[in-house]
Amino acid sequence: MKVPKVQKRYCPWCKKTTDHKVDQYKSAGKRGSLSRGSIARAKMRGQGRGVGNKGKWGSKPAISKFKRTGAKISKKTTFRYACVVCKKIIQQSQGIRTKKVEFT
Ligand SMILES: [Zn+2]
């Protein structure tokens, strides 16, 4: 999917149409990775260290039968539009599944 770097959009703060710089939103880290019963939490406790097969606490989690079929490889993209005039950012999901986003 090709997206132009600069788009003309309505800015609710400037109350007129201005140029917006387009950027893709990327989530920072994993959310709730230290929840109760998680592998990340067990590793902090000291489990899953050393040599050999660590089973449940190993490097890769066991893949369930449900997850094995129909795995999706694309995600809905979220774009961030930064107003050139007031530098405010509007975040908007486009609702289109794409593997790769190219800024032209
Ligand atoms: Zn603005």
Side-chain angles (χ1 to χ4, degrees), residues 11-15 18 20 83-88:
C11 177
W13 290 279
C14 300
K15 285 178 180 161
T18 55
H20 282 72
C83 175
V84 174
V85 181
C86 66
K87 297 199 168 58
K88 294 250 186 198

Side-chain angles (χ1 to χ4, degrees), residues 18-31:
T18 55
D19 280 342
H20 282 72
K21 274 184 187 171
V22 188
D23 195 22
Q24 196 184 358
Y25 170 76
K26 276 170 187 167
S27 63
K30 283 173 188 168
R31 288 171 69 186

Side-chain angles (χ1 to χ4, degrees), residues 17-56:
T17 308
T18 55
D19 280 342
H20 282 72
K21 274 184 187 171
V22 188
D23 195 22
Q24 196 184 358
Y25 170 76
K26 276 170 187 167
S27 63
K30 283 173 188 168
R31 288 171 69 186
S33 61
L34 285 177
S35 61
R36 209 154 167 233
S38 71
I39 289 170
R41 194 167 144 156
K43 281 194 174 165
M44 283 185 82
R45 219 187 301 139
Q47 270 168 316
R49 288 190 191 162
V51 192
N53 185 8
K54 284 159 217 83
K56 192 185 175 181

Side-chain angles (χ1 to χ4, degrees), residues 32-94:
S33 61
L34 285 177
S35 61
R36 209 154 167 233
S38 71
I39 289 170
R41 194 167 144 156
K43 281 194 174 165
M44 283 185 82
R45 219 187 301 139
Q47 270 168 316
R49 288 190 191 162
V51 192
N53 185 8
K54 284 159 217 83
K56 192 185 175 181
W57 315 111
S59 61
K60 290 181 196 110
I63 303 159
S64 62
K65 204 176 180 182
F66 174 75
K67 272 187 183 172
R68 236 174 281 152
T69 53
K72 285 165 185 172
I73 50 165
S74 61
K75 276 185 176 177
K76 279 184 185 178
T77 51
T78 303
F79 292 115
R80 307 182 95 197
Y81 299 95
C83 175
V84 174
V85 181
C86 66
K87 297 199 168 58
K88 294 250 186 198
I89 293 169
I90 307 165
Q91 198 168 296
Q92 211 164 56
S93 178
Q94 292 301 85

